[in-house]
Amino acid sequence: MNAAALAAVAAIVLVAVASALVGAYGVRRRSTSDFLVASRTSGTAAHAGAISGEYLSAASFLGIAGLVLKDGVDALWYPVGFTAGYLALLLFIAAPLRRSGAYTPSDFAEARLGSAQVRRVCTVFVLVVGWLYVLPQLQGAGLTIATVTGLPQWVGVVAAGVVIAVTVAFGGLRAITLVQAFQYWLKLTALAIPAVIALMFFLGNDKTFDRPAPPSFSQATTVDVTTDVVLRTDGPLSLRAVGEVDGTAVDGPVTWQAGTHTVESGTRLDFDAGAPVPVVEGAPVQDAGWLTPFADGNSHGLLAVYSLILATFLGTMGLPHVLGRFYTNPDGRAARRSAVVALGMLGAFYLLVTLLGALSRLYTPQLLVSGETDAAVLLLPTAVLGNGWAGTILGGVVAAGAWSAFLSTSSGLLSSVAGVLSTDVLRGRLRDVRITTLLAGSVPILLALLVTRLDFTESVALVFAVAASTFCPLLVLGVWWRGLTARGATWGMLAGGIAALGAVSASLAGAASTGLLGTLLHRPAVVSVPLAFLTMILVSRGTRRERPADADQLLLRLHAPERLGLSADTAEDGPARFRD
Amino acid sequence: MASRPSRSGGLVERIVSNATLNERPAPTYEDVQRSAAFTDLKRRLRRFVFPMSAGFLLWYLAYVVLASYAPGFMATRVAGSHITVGLLLGLGQFVTTFVITQIYVRYAERTLDPRARDIRRHVEKARR
């Protein structure tokens, strides 16, 4: 292990240990410290920091820069959608859900519709969404460890999984506002420093994006291809290759003509300084196209982007860890204020990530060849500053920031999943919540070891599509429409959820990758979300007689000013649904 | 509802003029729900949330439409720099999200909160 690797590992261990310590300390002091935060004037900033800290995951920290590196302007849709999703959450359901006292979609469904069956369906989807969302976080940890130390990916996956499961089991990191807020600032710093330095280097020389040419290697570069990849080049390109290219074994100089070339895993490619960079198939080859939306006439690009916007816009409100975090604010007014600050913080973060992605096209173009674009943020420091002490330290800071992104998001998700597991699935059969948490953590660890890695942002977008097709209709109709019935909600969630999950699985299995069908399978939200809403409305209409007798009253409580404390609240009201 | 609230009356008077709230010692949820003040509050919230969401969803979709059907316009350089109109509009999406949130918070604090407070104050007074 070289100095850079050691520095990065030291920084990562420091973050993990610090989080675990503060987490363990926070268990004993939780109520006091959260109370202190809430009572201070700085409460808004701390809460906003906590919201942002928990929300910004591997997909945001590593993934967006990677997609910007590859797809350019088109990748902007992800961060725009992620922030807009927060706005949708705020506008549609934040205040009413707060009044309902329900912290999870399952709680809400049972309270609003009075049906254990709806709760069970919700539980299944909370588990699916939670586990699928932790998956890319763990894979991100694997990629980070592999990139900075050269160890195999599974080391990072297992290490991150164990650290997260143990931290949540023994600490309950999620409940501690200050830790999450700290993680936000750590992530922001870890991006801001390399971004500023790289920007200064960029402005100090004559590099530019604005040209109808592919990016080029600034120095002689060796790329080890670790997964099979199809590369496109738009002119003749001379290189040396050892391994298998276009189906034949090669060992020595080759010249590629314009077009696509298949490179098998295990092949080593050597490029000279100044050589144009071949780009993974499907991404814009030339810099000018990279700067222009849909430049390469992406078929059904419009539909794909609409679908993505719909998924991120409506999916955010269904993510288990996002909803919970919203409630640590002392009251509705504070919740709204912290949402504004949080959106500012998210915006700042995403601008930095986008900038880093753009700069990485100049400094780490070899990632376009290996397809490992998600590693862009991690490699940028040493690519800009070299392997000296400055690059080493900066690399360590970035690795620690990435690690903090996995930790904060995964611990929030894992405690939601563990909570649902112990109350709904195991029903107290496993008395010890800690064992349940370790159990909940082992599922995504296994998944991460077995499942092929997608681009992080892509896999997160799939989870958003599932959340948007299940919880979003439940929450929005539950809050705004008195006609919703338990059976309507159940069938709607099943229809949307199965459509979204099925489409994504089919797409991953390689059912159809092009054309209208391929686009829809890859980005199902544009179909599955309306399907879920429609099913929910139609079945509810059909089962009108099963409408909860107290629907009007429940809805009123969701929209009435907070803490009315009316007489109907008290004992004669029957079950304590929607406590005040 | 026993009597229609007078249109000119203030918020609190309108609830007071709603007989159902006054006749009983403690108002129930149904009473509040029927009160003009609450109806007004709900309408104001709905009138803000739905058009605003529709508006900004349209603005996002408009960007995508422009990008697909007017790529020339989106690729236009701004003031001879590297920055294209498309890039500026893309970054503008962040700004709009932020601005809309701020408008919502201001609307809630100036328009919704005082009305909700009035209703609460009145209900609490009636319970005593």
Side-chain angles (χ1 to χ4, degrees):
Chain A
M1 233 188 262
N2 56 21
L6 282 177
V9 171
I12 287 171
V13 170
L14 210 64
V15 170
V17 170
S19 305
L21 279 183
V22 182
Y25 173 75
V27 175
R28 282 182 283 127
R29 303 294 302 266
R30 179 183 303 162
S31 51
T32 343
S33 70
D34 262 13
F35 177 73
L36 282 178
V37 168
S39 63
R40 282 196 209 121
T41 41
S42 65
T44 309
H47 279 295
I51 293 171
S52 320
E54 197 155 356
Y55 193 45
L56 295 169
S57 66
S60 301
F61 195 93
L62 299 178
I64 288 174
L67 274 192
V68 169
L69 161 64
K70 194 164 69 181
D71 296 337
V73 183
D74 291 344
L76 273 179
W77 282 108
Y78 290 90
V80 165
F82 291 156
T83 30
Y86 221 92
L87 178 56
L89 165 79
L90 179 72
L91 286 180
F92 284 113
I93 60 165
L97 263 196
R98 230 192 114 75
R99 288 179 204 123
S100 79
Y103 282 61
T104 64
S106 320
D107 287 346
F108 175 77
E110 192 177 15
R112 167 72 175 80
L113 300 165
S115 149
Q117 193 194 21
V118 181
R119 190 184 177 102
R120 276 195 291 276
V121 176
C122 280
T123 299
V124 172
F125 282 115
V126 168
L127 293 181
V128 169
V129 167
W131 277 330
L132 286 182
Y133 207 111
V134 175
L135 175 68
Q137 315 299 326
L138 295 182
Q139 290 175 329
L143 177 72
T144 306
I145 293 288
T147 306
V148 299
T149 66
L151 291 170
Q153 300 224 356
W154 65 264
V155 177
V157 171
V158 173
V162 170
V163 168
I164 291 159
V166 170
T167 319
V168 173
F170 292 93
L173 189 66
R174 171 182 160 73
I176 300 136
T177 306
L178 279 179
V179 179
Q180 293 285 8
F182 162 74
Q183 306 252 18
Y184 167 77
W185 290 108
L186 180 64
K187 282 181 250 188
L188 192 73
T189 315
L191 291 181
I193 300 173
V196 168
I197 293 175
L199 191 63
M200 286 184 335
F201 271 76
F202 171 64
L203 296 176
N205 61 32
D206 56 354
K207 289 187 171 179
T208 171
F209 297 114
D210 188 18
R211 54 200 185 144
S216 60
F217 292 107
S218 52
Q219 53 196 1
T221 306
T222 302
V223 179
D224 286 309
V225 176
T226 52
T227 47
D228 298 352
V229 66
V230 179
L231 299 174
R232 177 179 284 280
T233 172
D234 67 348
L237 164 66
S238 298
L239 69 156
R240 283 172 308 285
V242 182
E244 199 178 332
V245 175
D246 291 331
T248 48
V250 285
D251 185 0
V254 286
T255 301
W256 286 355
Q257 298 306 320
T260 59
H261 301 273
T262 312
V263 182
E264 296 294 316
S265 157
T267 306
R268 168 168 287 199
L269 306 172
D270 283 301
F271 297 92
D272 292 328
V277 179
V279 171
V280 278
E281 171 74 338
V285 178
Q286 298 190 338
D287 280 343
W290 176 83
L291 268 180
T292 317
F294 308 130
D296 42 353
N298 199 342
S299 67
H300 306 291
L302 189 65
L303 187 69
V305 172
Y306 277 174
S307 203
L308 176 70
I309 293 176
L310 207 60
T312 48
F313 184 67
L314 299 176
T316 307
M317 64 178 77
L319 298 177
H321 64 303
V322 174
L323 266 188
R325 173 52 60 195
F326 215 80
Y327 295 102
T328 48
N329 281 291
D331 59 54
R333 187 183 150 95
R336 283 195 304 254
R337 293 217 153 164
S338 65
V340 177
V341 180
L343 273 173
M345 288 175 159
L346 293 178
F349 182 90
Y350 284 131
L351 285 181
L352 279 180
V353 176
T354 308
L355 179 65
L356 281 174
L359 291 172
S360 64
R361 197 168 169 92
L362 299 176
Y363 291 104
T364 58
Q366 73 273 18
L367 296 176
L368 288 169
V369 181
S370 64
E372 294 276 0
T373 43
D374 279 335
V377 172
L378 296 167
L379 292 178
L380 197 64
T382 38
V384 175
L385 294 173
N387 284 317
W389 61 270
T392 304
I393 291 178
L394 207 53
V397 170
V398 172
W403 198 265
S404 144
F406 317 135
L407 274 190
S408 51
T409 302
S410 307
S411 52
L413 280 163
L414 195 60
S415 45
S416 306
V417 168
V420 164
L421 257 188
S422 73
T423 54
D424 289 330
V425 181
L426 302 169
R427 287 167 213 277
R429 255 173 280 164
L430 266 177
R431 281 288 160 90
D432 199 337
V433 184
R434 288 175 185 167
I435 297 177
T436 317
T437 307
L438 297 181
L439 196 73
S442 60
V443 174
I445 295 181
L446 282 179
L447 271 179
L449 293 175
L450 297 174
V451 176
T452 325
R453 192 160 62 75
L454 297 174
D455 282 342
F456 297 138
T457 310
E458 291 283 349
S459 57
V460 161
L462 301 180
V463 186
F464 272 83
V466 176
S469 317
T470 51
F471 296 134
C472 167
L474 171 78
L475 294 170
V476 169
L477 290 179
V479 163
W480 293 96
W481 186 44
R482 52 202 280 275
L484 186 69
T485 67
R487 253 202 282 180
T490 306
W491 284 108
M493 276 195 288
L494 284 177
I498 290 172
L501 277 174
V504 168
S505 318
S507 160
L508 291 184
S513 54
T514 51
L516 183 63
L517 185 65
T519 306
L520 285 180
L521 286 180
H522 187 55
R523 298 233 190 281
V526 77
V527 174
S528 63
V529 172
L531 176 74
F533 268 102
L534 255 173
T535 314
M536 228 174 250
I537 292 170
L538 290 180
V539 176
S540 292
R541 282 263 161 93
T543 54
R544 203 171 304 176
R545 261 181 261 140
E546 296 169 18
R547 192 180 288 180
D550 51 356
D552 280 334
Q553 205 170 345
L554 292 173
L555 233 57
L556 169 63
R557 278 190 209 186
L558 292 178
H559 295 285
E562 276 164 88
R563 289 188 293 280
L564 264 189
L566 295 175
S567 59
D569 273 349
T570 48
E572 88 256 27
D573 194 29
R577 295 164 68 181
F578 293 172
R579 58 204 142 79
D580 238 351
Chain B
M1 209 183 282
S3 64
R4 299 237 92 198
S6 73
R7 201 168 282 191
S8 57
L11 200 59
V12 178
E13 287 92 296
R14 268 191 277 166
I15 313 173
V16 175
S17 74
N18 188 338
T20 52
L21 276 181
N22 274 341
E23 280 157 13
R24 288 191 215 163
T28 64
Y29 267 107
E30 287 74 24
D31 299 329
V32 179
Q33 182 170 38
R34 278 194 294 265
S35 73
F38 182 69
T39 318
D40 176 63
L41 178 69
K42 244 180 17 185
R43 201 182 52 234
R44 279 174 196 272
L45 177 61
R46 221 177 298 142
R47 255 207 230 143
F48 181 87
V49 168
F50 287 99
M52 189 58 102
S53 312
F56 87 87
L57 205 54
L58 275 181
W59 151 235
Y60 290 156
L61 299 185
Y63 173 89
V64 188
V65 171
L66 275 179
S68 324
Y69 297 111
F73 168 70
M74 295 299 255
T76 313
R77 308 285 142 155
V78 178
S81 64
H82 299 166
I83 296 163
T84 60
V85 171
L87 193 62
L88 274 188
L89 287 181
L91 295 177
Q93 311 272 336
F94 280 115
V95 180
T96 7
T97 310
F98 187 71
V99 168
I100 290 174
T101 316
Q102 214 139 24
I103 295 174
Y104 170 67
V105 168
R106 189 166 296 178
Y107 182 79
E109 285 185 358
R110 292 203 182 151
T111 310
L112 302 178
D113 282 355
R115 285 174 169 75
R117 250 196 317 274
D118 279 342
I119 295 177
R120 181 155 76 228
R121 203 176 299 141
H122 177 76
V123 168
E124 278 164 3
K125 207 161 67 189
R127 292 180 75 193
R128 259 180 241 130

